[in-house]
Amino acid sequence: MASSSPSSLSPPIILVPAESLTGINSGPAVSVKRLSESNKNFSAQEVFYSNVNALRREVKALFTFHPAEWISAFRRNPKFPLFVFGDIDGFVALFMNNLATLLAVILGLRIVFENDIIYGKIIPGVSLSMLWGNLYYVYMARKLAYKENRGDVCTMPYGINTPGAFAFIFSIILPTYFGCINGQSGRNKRECEELAWYVALASNFTTGIILLLLCVVGEFIRKNTPGVALLSSISGIGFTYLALNEYLPVAAAPIVSFLPFAIVMLGYFSGVRFGPVPVAFVALVVGTILGWSTSLNKAVDVRNAALIVKPYPLVFPIQAMFSHINEITPYLSTTIPTAISIAIGTIQCVESAKRAGDFYPTREAMFADGIGTLIASLFGSILGMTTFIGHPAFKKMGAKQAYSIANGIAFLPLCFFGINALLLSIIAIVSVNPIIIFIGLVICADTLAITPKRHYPAFLLGLMPIVADWAKGTIISGVSDAYTSFVINQTEFNRNVTAHISGFSYSGLLNFSGGSLLQCIFITAIFMYMIDRKFIRAAIWSLLAAVFAFFGLINAPGVGVLTKKNDDGWRFTVGYIMMAALFVCFEFAQRQHWVKHPETEPDDLSSIEWAEWNREKLLEDENNNEENV
């Protein structure tokens, strides 16, 4: 957007709430130049070629090297100190979040694997991928701080991709293992465990490759997707998995957890300080004392965890992994959506960091996540790695770069010696939950801050697929596990129980949760453009959704060409195409002036475009008032 001809007069200044303009500056007001708007109507051909040219620029930038910028990360920068006080809070939050995820993953892996595979072959590989990602994101932060001559840059948090981890456990490892045990392969229990491990490794390696391939179009996707739609699924994760899910243990143990919860909320939302002691540390100590005094923590758990503590050498199962890579075909329905969800999640996290004032390259962040996932798989880990959501929360804590370095280093002894199990048996985990809840709430609040009120319904609807996915994965899977613990082996839960559910539509739950991370974006974008009466854009997004649904990437429990009579994928495709046709009809009606013109207010309250639109609107109102007088 170009500026108009120069004038001798200074541009007018408009006061805008700072919380709505965090992506522009951090001051109480912003000075915005008059921007001209072109009245030229672009043809479909011009739009197509402009997008093609944008992709060409992406590819060219991908192969353009800037050695001076690379070296700048290693130069001394007095404005960007290695350690600040906020790094302590940031480290506690990031470390405990990763640690809690790792513990939950270990509990899931115990369904199939013995301790020697979990702690001796899978967990050590986590430490190397964790170290890589944490150090690389610090490298990116140092480059950004030097390039922009700033000291308020916050490193993007990094760790285990939680949804992908559980998707691999329940959709790849368990089916492979039980298919081996119950089949006619003649393999014993140990051989079936190793087969499940190798197939999961090959799937994780494939995920890393897909992530690297998606690097080329990552920035293009970010620029051509509405910011609120991009942030809808990340807000859904924040609301559901980080806030709602993490509050359940808090509600289960109120005597231990309510005080830490109040301490965290007072410290981070109300600005109450506890002297020089970090808020997270105070909550952790208070919760742990209460946990031991109320017998929530037990000595027997510590003794059992101590037996696991011993050195575990690093493994390199690359030959076995590639020998089983042909067996991942049945599980591409899990691998491909996991890779896409990680890529979309990375794009969303970059967008979230941008809103907080840190402009990281999308392509480079996706590259870091892809390489981290490949490192994990090459050294035995079945866990995908990604940048974490919650960058604005870590920045609000005052964290910069040391918290990420400390997190990467801390996992080395934990993973190579099995100390993580011992540590989690000592600490009251419910005292950590409030910190994670805080991160989830900040994510949602930051998205609402940039969302115009007219788009609130679209944002709220966009959260629902994540809630459905959580309900399916948490409640239904929990009931399934309980069911299989007291019935005859090989009794199929879905056939015997879910087929007879009548209180709600179980098939609707499965479809609404299928590809939830992608589905959030499509639902939000389509609804936003419906609200704004931008019918062509709504039609384009509907057609894209139709393609994704046809292959089961959204609105379906599995990936494939969904054309069979019992498949719902083709039904969703038809539904989306019908919506697109309706939008085209309304576009025609709009051009005939039978329907109101499209909404002119931009859909991002933190953008320069919105500030310019608001300034022009105020000037227009002022002129109208003067004319009326």
Side-chain angles (χ1 to χ4, degrees), residues 57-110:
R57 289 193 296 270
E58 291 292 319
V59 175
K60 181 179 179 182
L62 184 65
F63 294 99
T64 303
F65 301 99
H66 305 281
E69 184 177 336
W70 297 350
I71 298 172
S72 67
F74 302 101
R75 294 174 178 169
R76 183 175 176 272
N77 187 353
K79 286 190 174 182
F80 193 52
L82 182 62
F83 172 79
V84 294
F85 192 74
D87 283 320
I88 300 176
D89 279 4
F91 167 71
V92 172
L94 181 60
F95 175 76
M96 293 307 300
N97 197 343
N98 273 300
L99 194 57
T101 298
L102 189 58
L103 177 66
V105 168
I106 290 172
L107 293 176
L109 292 174
R110 283 179 178 172

Side-chain angles (χ1 to χ4, degrees), residues 54 114 159 184 199 221 226 251 341 447 482 487 497 529:
E114 302 293 333
Q184 305 298 323
V199 172
I221 294 172
S341 68
T447 303
V487 298
V497 178
Y529 289 134

Side-chain angles (χ1 to χ4, degrees), residues 86-87 89-91 93-94 97 154-157 242 264 267-269 349 352-353 355-356 358 388-400 403 434-446:
D87 283 320
D89 279 4
F91 167 71
L94 181 60
N97 197 343
C154 176
T155 302
M156 292 179 67
L242 298 188
V264 168
Y268 291 138
F269 283 121
C349 290
S352 179
R355 307 292 173 180
D358 295 339
F388 262 24
I389 60 177
H391 170 275
F394 285 95
K395 189 164 186 176
K396 190 173 182 179
M397 292 179 188
K400 295 186 184 297
Y403 87 99
I435 302 171
I436 302 173
I437 293 170
F438 158 74
I439 294 174
L441 294 177
V442 167
I443 293 167
C444 295
D446 282 354

Side-chain angles (χ1 to χ4, degrees), residues 367-410:
F367 165 81
D369 293 350
I371 294 297
T373 300
L374 289 179
I375 291 173
S377 59
L378 292 176
F379 289 95
S381 172
I382 55 95
L383 305 179
M385 308 300 290
T386 183
T387 177
F388 262 24
I389 60 177
H391 170 275
F394 285 95
K395 189 164 186 176
K396 190 173 182 179
M397 292 179 188
K400 295 186 184 297
Q401 53 181 320
Y403 87 99
S404 186
I405 297 173
N407 182 70
I409 295 174

Side-chain angles (χ1 to χ4, degrees), residues 527-588:
F527 201 177
M528 285 174 60
Y529 289 134
M530 289 170 61
I531 292 171
D532 287 351
R533 299 178 300 282
K534 296 177 180 179
F535 299 116
I536 290 298
R537 296 183 185 182
I540 291 173
W541 276 92
S542 297
L543 292 175
L544 287 173
V547 174
F548 274 65
F550 186 76
F551 294 103
L553 295 173
I554 60 173
N555 296 117
V559 173
V561 181
L562 305 182
T563 57
K564 296 180 180 178
K565 183 178 180 180
N566 295 330
D567 290 335
D568 285 331
W570 65 270
R571 291 184 172 88
F572 279 99
T573 298
V574 172
Y576 283 122
I577 291 175
M578 292 170 65
M579 288 175 61
L582 177 67
F583 297 144
V584 171
C585 292
F586 273 109
E587 173 69 16
F588 173 79

Side-chain angles (χ1 to χ4, degrees), residues 54 147 149 168 189 225 276 293 328 489 498 586:
K147 178 182 179 180
N149 194 25
F168 269 46
K189 183 177 185 298
T225 305
S293 62
I328 70 171
N489 290 337
T498 59
F586 273 109

Side-chain angles (χ1 to χ4, degrees), residues 171-173 175-177 179-180 185 187 191-192 194-204 206 319-333 335:
S171 300
I172 296 179
I173 293 175
T176 303
Y177 173 76
C180 176
S185 63
R187 291 167 170 161
E191 290 173 334
C192 288
E194 292 181 345
L195 174 66
W197 176 43
Y198 294 144
V199 172
L201 284 179
S203 298
N204 200 34
T206 304
Q319 183 176 354
M321 180 182 71
F322 281 117
S323 66
H324 291 83
I325 202 161
N326 62 320
E327 298 186 50
I328 70 171
T329 304
Y331 308 113
L332 289 177
S333 61
T335 304

